[in-house]
Amino acid sequence: MSISNVLLVDDEVSFVETFSERLELRNFETSTAFSGEEALQVLERNGSIEVVILDVKMPGMGGIETLTEIHRKYPLVEVIMLSGHVDVASAIEGMKQGAFDYLMKPVEMDQIIAKVTEAVSKKRQHEEKIIQARIKEITSRRT
């Protein structure tokens, strides 16, 4: 059983392929996308994705726009933003839009694994709270 299901989104194909392989070796299930539009399609097809690792600078739909759409359609999915450029404004905007964290490339594997693990934990805690609230609502109707 995998630790988590992660979607890697970056227009740099070699980065995505290498990072995906490295995560899979550490028992993560990975999906990949090379654009924001493709990321949204993957999320639509695969409801088990818990964390998205998303590049900020991509042609077409950029990272911030993709983040906004992800949170609109899939509010419990956690998003970790990645950037190869120092851009404080996009980091601030990403955090305002609900990114779990913002990391700079090159990122150490141990650092990204720690962040993904934290993000998965947060997502699962939110899901558990929702389940508990639903159980409470159902049982209160029966009394």
Side-chain angles (χ1 to χ4, degrees):
M1 183 173 178
S2 66
I3 295 170
S4 175
N5 193 331
V6 178
L7 171 59
L8 296 166
V9 186
D10 197 312
D11 60 314
E12 294 178 43
V13 175
S14 62
F15 173 80
V16 170
E17 290 173 349
T18 301
F19 226 79
S20 177
E21 288 173 10
R22 293 178 76 190
L23 284 170
E24 287 174 358
L25 287 171
R26 289 162 176 84
N27 209 29
F28 288 86
E29 187 174 325
T30 62
S31 299
T32 60
F34 304 103
S35 69
E37 296 87 354
E38 186 181 357
L40 294 171
Q41 293 169 359
V42 171
L43 283 164
E44 189 174 318
R45 289 190 312 265
N46 185 347
S48 66
I49 292 172
E50 297 180 286
V51 177
V52 176
I53 300 172
L54 177 64
D55 188 32
V56 173
K57 301 261 187 218
M58 295 183 292
M61 181 183 264
I64 299 298
E65 186 180 354
T66 305
L67 168 67
T68 302
E69 271 304 293
I70 290 170
H71 276 286
R72 188 178 71 75
K73 292 182 176 180
Y74 313 97
L76 293 179
V77 172
E78 294 295 340
V79 179
I80 298 169
M81 303 294 291
L82 283 183
S83 181
H85 313 282
V86 178
D87 184 357
V88 176
S90 70
I92 291 169
E93 185 60 28
M95 298 307 280
K96 281 183 184 177
Q97 294 297 325
F100 179 79
D101 210 336
Y102 188 98
L103 303 173
M104 295 299 298
K105 290 180 189 175
V107 62
E108 295 292 325
M109 199 62 185
D110 290 342
Q111 182 184 23
I112 197 73
I113 287 172
K115 291 296 176 186
V116 168
T117 303
E118 288 173 33
V120 167
S121 177
K122 181 181 176 188
K123 179 185 186 290
R124 291 177 182 171
Q125 286 173 3
H126 281 135
E127 289 172 335
E128 183 61 30
K129 286 179 183 178
I130 290 167
I131 290 167
Q132 293 303 318
R134 286 182 180 156
I135 290 170
K136 186 175 180 181
E137 178 185 347
I138 290 167
T139 56
S140 68
R141 279 192 242 148
R142 293 183 180 193
T143 56

